[in-house]
Amino acid sequence: MDDILQEFLAESWENLGQLDSEIVELEKDPQNAELIASIFRTIHTIKGTCGFLGLSNLGAVAHSAENVLGKMRERMLEVSPGAISLVLEAIDRIKELLQGLEATGEEPKTDHSTLTLMLDELANLATAPPASTPQQSSPAPLVADETEENTDVTQVDEEPVSEQSPKDVAKSAESEEVVIAEAIPEVQAEPADLLAPAAVSEEAAVRSSKVSVADLSIRVNVNVVDSLMNLVGELVLTRNQLLQLARGDEESKYAAPITHLNRVTTDLQEGVMKTRMQPIGNAWNKLPRLVRDLSQVTNKHIELVMTGAETELDRTVLDAIKDPLTHMVRNSADHGIETADVRKAAGKSESGTIHLNAYHEGGHVIIEIQDDGAGISRERVLKKAISQGLIKETDAPHVTDSHVFSMIFQAGFSTAEQVSSISGRGVGMDVVRTQIEKIGGTVDLASKMGKGTTVRIKIPLTLAIVSALVLESGSQPFAIPQLGVVELVRLSAEDCKKIETIHDKKVFRLRDRLLPLVHLNEVLQLEEDTPEDDDLQDTNIVVVQVGEDQFGLIVSRIFDTEEIVVKPVGRLLKNIGLYQGTTILGDGRVVMILDVGGIFNQCGGSSAHSQSVAEETTASSDRDTISMLLFGVKDNVTMAVPLSLVARLEEFPLESIELNGDRKVVQYRDNLLPLLSIEGAGYGGGEPVDPQPVIVFSENNRSMGLMVNEIKDIIDEQLVIRMQSDRPGVLGTAIIGKNAIDVIDTQYYVTRSTPNWFEKVEDKKSFRVLIVDDSMFFRQLVTTALETEGYTVVARDSCISAVELLEKDSRFHAVITDLDLPMMDGFEFCEWLKSQESTQEMNVIALTSASSSTDQAKARDAGFDEFLVKFNSHELISCLDESFARSKYKTGVNA
Amino acid sequence: MSIAITDSGSGMESQLDYSSQYVSFRVDDQLLGMPVNMVQEVLTEQVISPTPLARAEIKGLLNLRGQIVTAVSLRKRLGLPDLEDDRSMNVVTRVGEESFSLLVDEVGDVINVSGRSMEPVPRTLDPHWRSVTIGVFQLDEGLFVILDVETILNFE
């Protein structure tokens, strides 16, 4: 069963349990407004979630009951025993439906129209405005709106329900068994027995499955599980420490207990990890439907086979791979599998197969997406790669298949000849790669023309405890996650001669492959180690993988691998970009966990930033020529910059250039213009020329000047970056007027001239979002969606507790709140936010299932910045992204 | 060895009036202080793992019973030169979700200032110092400058 559905069930049962007693109490005390409001909210939440999950039958009953309760709440309908009976009847039906849903994973299609009709009648009776409630403005349009919305839902969802084949029903019943069995291993046999008839007869299952999800599992706050995880982490560290102490002394009387402790700790660690584990099938269960729909749209016969759905991995990892997986399956169905005719012509079976497979392998989870389709044409990818300047034409015959296919993961790369509604827009595979790398995974692609394509994803089981290689550089220990390490190479003193240099850059020929080398201590600006013993005479190289690139880190010593607990990098160290975490080693020392991707970028590897800039430039100039400004620097070297980036050309007399600290500036248009000269390997600074020619660049009202030796020419040329550069300030080399000329990266100089001008790293983590919703289900849903996007999210279940939080800590950028909340509703909350000095700047977003125009107007009056209907994650995220960009801009200007 | 003073925050409701008590410490012979309920504990010299490429104020990280604490040199933060014989003591404080240790030359007594009123720092004080201090108490043994800890730990 879908985990979302499961949570919905658990939450609904919890609420409904409370509801029975509340309603009985209401019958005794019909005037208790708070009680009515609370009952209304429970039903309202169930209705809202039903709409979201497409449970039309359940939604209809809840909707009608909500209408009646709403009228009661507004004092337009008397709380009579008759009305209460009707509401109780509705609640019973809701329970029945939930039971059916729980037993089969499908909403029962029982007919409730008589009841809903009666409820609606009762509600409509009340619509005639009684004299006692003159403040009620216009309830009629509200009802109309909601009914409309409801019919919409019904229309949309009728189809999938009716097309559900009996086979699918059986399948979902099976998968439910798995879920329950996983949750409570001790009673494994019992629920399986109880639920087995579900496949045979829905009715029987409903009656026999007395043990519901709510009984078999307990709901534990994620925070509790997280803190347990932290404690286990501490225990693992202490265990490591003890093991280290005991290592030298095997005769010790502590040896036996320590061994035992070791074993128990390992078991405990596994047990606690298991509480966070979920079967990967949870991320897959939308795929059969997706493939079915796609095969209809594309007119192909596609079968989806899934194996290893029970393979478990950490919840956070699971959430992160959901979208990439969907994307890749979609790709396989759209690009991979051919139409039936084509397949027949090629001698294959008419229907194509997409095979999803997951399994564990050495602490990692491997997911394979395999199709038996047309495969990827090496030639086509190569052609495209050459036209984009990613591969040189002359190199083309020698490039390995895996290198060619890796191009598919580059941004802006799609070989689909036709942009279909499904894919082929050149976005996607790069996002897939980025997403997977973000959680420390890797992705490979292999393809055989005519036979099919296989994508292999390797991801860590969990992000909390990882196996890491401990090493030393500059007399300090560091850790590198084992996942990124390809191999270790040790060169003896005489072998070190094999390390060669190209233009100051060290490289090593590792089995006929050129491996760029980087001294870790240089990257970290640490002293070189002084070789004390023979050990240090050798050169230790850790070969690491970043995307499809490999490079070697030269370190002074390699210790052991150790299970380490990843702790977040502190606030003050976050912006360094070379560390992905910290940890405590067995001996109690704190060490930094290195981010190999960050190191690679730092030493001029194909940093994502410059690469995307290069690609943007190439993409936009595919056909058109653009004007290039050529200028000379020291030693008669010519460099170029796209003219469109240049604001002005100026000449300043040398004496007008002043030194401000160690920076050169010139007074220019009542302002100070910072001046920089061209730098980078081989160029040095410009020689003093009088008057000094300066190229002025402007961005966001700020300017900087680049001092050059002479302005040479402006020519129109197709700008294709032939070679990306790893030198700072150089975008790459382009052929301009038959000469190879370096094109400078203006961004680099602009950033350098005013370092805090804008933050280079777009760190959404610093953007804090507060979510207020009384439904735990929605809190989790929204939190997961936003955290996957990289935002920092804090959730509260009521406005009161949100206010308490904000009074202590107002460092939030955006607040997302439900409107219908107990004690203090969303409108009051928003007004409060907008009245406080510390919070009035925050972006306040209403996220609600009440979507009537009256509510919208009311929200606008209360000061909401946005009004969103529950729940479209894309809409919410794009709304936040916008406000994130705005806040970025603001801080950028203020800096 | 550690002198635990109070769990941060939990001592607020006790009978003792913590609001007028300040932990005193010295940096470059200046008597400085911070509210006692902000101090998690005071430690003698600790093993600090350096963090390459971090700002100069950050001395590194230390392991406080499994918790990672960022050590900030108060001397550097106040624009003072480092001590040659660096045996700094740690004043551990918690700001938000994170723990920090302020490295000081020497930790003194907890000073009770009840009955005295805090005066604003003199306007002539170096603007940098003014931005990280809240006020001054006049004590018999000298001036007692109270630090604004949150600002001190905010230099991103």
Side-chain angles (χ1 to χ4, degrees):
Chain A
M1 205 190 301
D2 199 330
D3 62 325
I4 290 187
L5 205 55
Q6 187 123 352
E7 273 171 42
F8 163 66
L9 283 171
E11 181 174 282
S12 298
W13 282 126
E14 212 165 80
N15 287 338
L16 285 172
Q18 199 188 342
L19 206 57
D20 273 341
S21 56
E22 277 183 349
I23 292 199
V24 176
E25 207 174 305
L26 181 69
E27 208 166 12
K28 285 185 212 142
D29 180 11
Q31 297 308 313
N32 191 334
E34 220 165 274
L35 213 51
I36 302 178
S38 157
I39 296 168
F40 173 80
R41 267 195 310 277
T42 306
I43 299 292
H44 177 78
T45 306
I46 292 177
K47 185 202 90 171
T49 320
C50 285
F52 172 72
L53 293 172
L55 304 169
S56 52
N57 216 346
L58 191 49
V61 178
H63 175 72
S64 296
E66 184 201 357
N67 273 351
V68 171
L69 286 164
K71 290 291 183 307
M72 288 181 177
R73 190 175 65 151
E74 286 155 15
R75 299 261 171 250
M76 291 162 68
L77 184 71
E78 207 196 328
V79 183
S80 65
I84 295 276
S85 303
L86 214 50
V87 171
L88 275 174
E89 169 78 30
I91 290 171
D92 285 345
R93 296 288 179 87
I94 290 173
K95 284 183 188 163
E96 262 172 44
L97 286 164
L98 287 174
Q99 267 165 7
L101 185 64
E102 197 162 27
T104 62
E106 277 303 310
E107 189 185 23
K109 289 179 274 289
T110 37
D111 181 31
H112 300 286
S113 53
T114 352
L115 177 66
T116 51
L117 225 79
M118 279 163 80
L119 285 166
D120 289 345
E121 239 164 61
L122 187 63
N124 286 335
L125 261 179
T127 317
S132 62
T133 54
Q135 81 276 16
Q136 189 61 36
S137 51
S138 59
L142 187 115
V143 173
D145 267 357
E146 297 213 352
T147 327
E148 228 173 74
E149 173 201 309
N150 190 54
T151 38
D152 274 1
V153 168
T154 322
Q155 273 164 8
V156 172
D157 293 296
E158 218 106 69
E159 193 190 0
V161 171
S162 59
E163 290 190 18
Q164 191 74 36
S165 67
K167 193 177 152 199
D168 284 345
V169 175
K171 215 183 257 169
S172 42
E174 265 167 43
S175 69
E176 190 198 25
E177 270 176 40
V178 173
V179 169
I180 296 176
E182 297 296 342
I184 310 284
E186 300 95 297
V187 284
Q188 206 161 6
E190 197 186 348
D193 285 342
L194 281 172
L195 289 169
V200 189
S201 149
E202 265 179 45
E203 283 296 311
V206 172
R207 257 178 266 120
S208 67
S209 66
K210 288 189 198 101
V211 195
S212 67
V213 170
D215 293 335
L216 274 177
S217 60
I218 50 165
R219 301 175 73 210
V220 182
N221 194 313
V222 182
N223 293 338
V224 176
V225 179
D226 282 349
S227 75
L228 260 182
M229 191 71 202
N230 281 338
L231 286 173
V232 169
E234 300 304 332
L235 190 61
V236 168
L237 292 177
T238 318
R239 188 260 329 251
N240 291 354
Q241 238 159 309
L242 280 174
L243 283 177
Q244 196 141 350
L245 289 176
R247 202 164 284 163
D249 185 8
E250 276 168 25
E251 299 295 300
S252 159
K253 57 184 175 185
Y254 297 116
I258 286 178
T259 315
H260 186 60
L261 176 74
N262 181 16
R263 205 166 43 236
V264 174
T265 310
T266 310
D267 289 351
L268 183 63
Q269 182 190 334
E270 273 170 19
V272 172
M273 297 247 281
K274 218 174 251 168
T275 62
R276 292 162 56 100
M277 291 293 193
Q278 292 193 314
I280 195 168
N282 288 4
W284 285 358
N285 47 19
K286 288 197 195 70
L287 299 176
R289 172 72 197 277
L290 177 94
V291 170
R292 180 198 151 276
D293 287 357
L294 280 178
S295 60
Q296 296 219 322
V297 174
T298 56
N299 230 343
K300 297 172 184 173
H301 301 291
I302 308 173
E303 207 178 317
L304 182 69
V305 181
M306 301 190 283
T307 49
E310 69 287 350
T311 311
E312 289 192 320
L313 68 173
D314 198 284
R315 195 197 160 92
T316 41
V317 182
L318 192 76
D319 282 338
I321 58 155
K322 254 185 205 172
D323 286 348
L325 272 182
T326 312
H327 188 89
M328 279 184 287
V329 169
R330 191 181 292 161
N331 252 338
S332 289
D334 192 29
H335 297 320
I337 307 286
E338 319 90 321
T339 56
D341 309 340
V342 177
R343 289 184 66 91
K344 231 164 145 186
K348 296 197 222 177
S349 66
E350 264 182 50
S351 88
T353 309
I354 298 174
H355 188 174
L356 270 175
N357 186 23
Y359 55 95
H360 287 281
E361 189 185 88
H364 299 126
V365 173
I366 312 286
I367 307 167
E368 286 169 348
I369 301 121
Q370 198 172 359
D371 69 58
D372 63 350
I376 297 169
S377 156
R378 177 190 153 103
E379 296 315 311
R380 221 156 81 191
V381 176
L382 209 53
K383 215 169 95 191
K384 180 96 181 180
I386 292 167
S387 80
Q388 292 205 350
L390 297 166
I391 292 177
K392 265 201 240 167
E393 205 159 354
T394 46
D395 291 346
H398 319 295
V399 182
T400 60
D401 279 1
S402 72
H403 185 70
V404 173
F405 291 138
S406 72
M407 292 294 144
I408 289 169
F409 295 104
Q410 297 278 353
F413 201 99
S414 174
T415 57
E417 272 151 11
Q418 261 184 330
V419 173
S420 70
S421 64
I422 306 153
S423 45
R425 272 155 302 206
V427 284
M429 288 312 259
D430 61 316
V431 180
V432 166
R433 191 182 67 172
T434 323
Q435 288 258 28
I436 287 169
E437 281 176 5
K438 211 155 61 183
I439 54 167
T442 55
V443 51
D444 288 314
L445 187 146
S447 183
K448 210 160 181 157
M449 199 60 194
K451 293 270 187 247
T453 306
T454 304
V455 180
R456 193 165 181 273
I457 303 170
K458 185 178 177 187
I459 42 178
L461 264 181
T462 172
L463 305 178
I465 298 185
V466 301
S467 166
L469 183 71
V470 183
L471 46 89
E472 189 184 80
S473 176
S475 312
Q476 273 187 45
F478 294 95
I480 293 184
Q482 193 74 45
L483 189 67
V485 177
V486 183
E487 61 181 307
L488 302 176
V489 178
R490 169 178 273 188
L491 300 179
S492 61
E494 55 264 32
D495 278 344
C496 285
K497 289 183 211 106
K498 288 187 189 157
I499 294 180
E500 294 159 274
T501 58
I502 307 176
H503 194 69
D504 291 347
K505 299 280 184 219
K506 286 189 175 166
V507 288
F508 176 67
R509 289 191 228 174
L510 180 64
R511 293 186 291 276
D512 295 335
R513 209 155 33 89
L514 278 187
L515 185 74
L517 296 180
V518 174
H519 280 277
L520 184 58
N521 63 312
E522 283 171 15
V523 178
L524 298 171
Q525 293 171 16
L526 293 170
E527 300 280 308
E528 205 172 327
D529 303 273
T530 41
E532 291 155 18
D533 47 80
D534 288 346
D535 239 21
L536 291 184
Q537 301 287 341
D538 295 347
T539 301
N540 290 303
I541 301 173
V542 182
V543 183
V544 290
Q545 181 100 31
V546 177
E548 63 264 19
D549 296 298
Q550 289 190 352
F551 74 104
L553 275 176
I554 300 180
V555 301
S556 49
R557 228 191 268 249
I558 291 172
F559 298 111
D560 210 348
T561 55
E562 205 170 304
E563 290 272 291
I564 58 166
V565 180
V566 182
K567 295 179 182 251
V569 185
R571 173 164 59 87
L572 299 177
L573 299 168
K574 252 187 189 150
N575 47 8
I576 298 176
L578 294 182
Y579 307 122
Q580 66 177 57
T582 51
T583 192
I584 299 175
L585 289 186
D587 59 6
R589 278 181 303 176
V590 181
V591 302
M592 306 302 292
I593 303 168
L594 298 173
D595 174 6
V596 285
I599 294 175
F600 192 53
N601 287 350
Q602 188 97 347
C603 37
S606 61
S607 84
H609 168 71
S610 72
Q611 199 168 328
S612 64
V613 169
E615 266 153 26
E616 262 166 44
T617 328
T618 41
S620 66
S621 62
D622 244 6
R623 282 138 289 159
D624 307 325
T625 59
I626 63 168
S627 297
M628 299 292 292
L629 175 74
L630 301 187
F631 56 88
V633 294
K634 200 181 160 189
D635 298 330
N636 269 331
V637 174
T638 301
M639 296 182 90
V641 60
L643 191 61
S644 55
L645 301 176
V646 176
R648 283 176 301 277
L649 299 176
E650 299 284 351
E651 279 186 343
F652 298 110
L654 260 190
E655 64 265 25
S656 70
I657 296 175
E658 299 165 38
L659 269 180
N660 180 354
D662 51 355
R663 292 168 157 204
K664 286 184 175 166
V665 292
V666 64
Q667 292 184 21
Y668 178 65
R669 297 189 176 178
D670 301 331
N671 234 325
L672 283 181
L673 182 73
L675 296 179
L676 287 174
S677 47
I678 285 285
E679 53 174 88
Y683 292 111
E687 287 144 341
V689 191
D690 199 12
Q692 174 71 54
V694 168
I695 306 173
V696 182
F697 300 105
S698 279
E699 206 171 313
N700 291 351
N701 301 326
R702 304 244 185 154
S703 305
M704 64 83 45
L706 190 64
M707 295 183 289
V708 299
N709 280 22
E710 60 166 319
I711 303 290
K712 282 190 160 162
D713 201 0
I714 294 173
I715 62 167
D716 285 345
E717 189 70 67
Q718 249 191 19
L719 176 65
V720 180
I721 304 283
R722 295 283 173 190
M723 249 168 72
Q724 306 231 338
S725 164
D726 58 0
R727 282 165 293 165
V730 178
L731 207 56
T733 311
I735 306 293
I736 300 174
K738 288 187 188 141
N739 296 314
I741 288 175
D742 284 344
V743 179
I744 64 159
D745 181 358
T746 52
Q747 198 85 355
Y748 173 83
Y749 288 101
V750 167
T751 321
R752 275 185 49 105
S753 68
T754 40
N756 356 339
W757 186 338
F758 51 86
E759 280 186 354
K760 256 175 101 180
V761 193
E762 203 190 48
D763 192 4
K764 284 190 186 171
K765 268 225 149 56
S766 62
F767 193 86
R768 300 178 76 221
V769 182
L770 176 64
I771 291 167
V772 187
D773 199 313
D774 58 344
S775 158
M776 172 145 162
F777 169 76
F778 263 108
R779 280 202 306 276
Q780 283 184 354
L781 196 71
V782 176
T783 307
T784 315
L786 296 185
E787 280 181 347
T788 320
E789 270 312 289
Y791 288 107
T792 303
V793 184
V794 176
R796 283 291 179 273
D797 59 356
S798 72
C799 295
I800 304 287
S801 65
V803 167
E804 275 168 15
L805 171 72
L806 287 167
E807 276 171 347
K808 272 184 270 160
D809 176 7
S810 62
R811 291 174 295 128
F812 285 90
H813 300 84
V815 180
I816 300 168
T817 177
D818 193 8
L819 291 180
D820 203 0
L821 291 160
M823 313 280 276
M824 179 189 207
D825 67 21
F827 301 109
E828 290 169 66
F829 180 46
C830 180
E831 278 161 12
W832 181 84
L833 284 170
K834 293 294 176 188
S835 69
Q836 302 293 309
E837 201 188 329
S838 58
T839 57
Q840 61 186 5
E841 292 283 299
M842 291 177 195
N843 210 13
V844 190
I845 300 167
L847 186 65
T848 172
S849 45
S851 58
S852 72
S853 48
T854 5
D855 281 325
Q856 288 207 19
K858 213 172 147 196
R860 217 174 303 125
D861 291 344
F864 278 101
D865 298 300
E866 297 283 348
F867 188 96
L868 300 178
V869 175
K870 269 180 186 170
F871 170 73
N872 178 339
S873 66
H874 287 293
E875 196 178 61
L876 179 62
I877 285 161
S878 72
C879 180
L880 275 183
D881 282 348
E882 238 170 68
S883 106
F884 171 69
R886 269 201 301 276
S887 81
K888 239 11 302 159
Y889 178 72
K890 249 187 234 163
T891 45
V893 168
N894 292 344
Chain B
M1 186 192 79
S2 73
I3 315 155
I5 292 176
T6 165
D7 276 341
S8 60
S10 68
M12 291 287 278
E13 290 84 23
S14 79
Q15 285 150 322
L16 277 168
D17 180 17
Y18 282 127
S19 63
S20 62
Q21 298 194 21
Y22 291 86
V23 174
S24 69
F25 41 84
R26 282 189 187 275
V27 169
D28 203 26
D29 272 337
Q30 175 67 55
L31 188 64
L32 301 169
M34 63 193 270
V36 78
N37 52 27
M38 289 195 74
V39 179
Q40 194 178 323
E41 58 192 291
V42 172
L43 307 167
T44 53
E45 195 189 353
Q46 297 285 309
V47 180
I48 294 179
S49 307
T51 46
L53 300 181
R55 293 178 53 127
E57 291 94 335
I58 299 170
K59 277 284 143 160
L61 301 173
L62 58 96
N63 171 7
L64 178 60
R65 297 184 300 273
Q67 185 189 8
I68 293 176
V69 179
T70 311
V72 175
S73 158
L74 199 52
R75 277 180 164 266
K76 271 264 157 33
R77 184 71 180 101
L78 295 173
L80 299 167
D82 271 337
L83 270 187
E84 277 191 19
D85 171 34
D86 195 359
R87 306 179 64 80
S88 301
M89 288 179 79
N90 296 268
V91 180
V92 181
T93 180
R94 206 170 167 80
V95 174
E97 302 276 287
E98 244 183 293
S99 288
F100 297 90
S101 165
L102 288 177
L103 300 181
V104 300
D105 297 358
E106 182 187 4
V107 178
D109 295 329
V110 173
I111 297 178
N112 195 328
V113 293
S114 57
R116 295 172 212 264
S117 60
M118 194 195 287
E119 290 166 45
V121 282
R123 294 187 154 275
T124 48
L125 198 65
D126 175 275
H128 179 59
W129 273 65
R130 248 193 298 159
S131 71
V132 295
T133 46
I134 303 174
V136 178
F137 288 105
Q138 295 188 36
L139 304 180
D140 298 339
E141 54 269 44
L143 294 178
F144 186 31
V145 180
I146 306 303
L147 296 176
D148 179 354
V149 179
E150 301 215 357
T151 314
I152 284 194
L153 294 174
N154 203 351
F155 49 90
E156 290 162 83

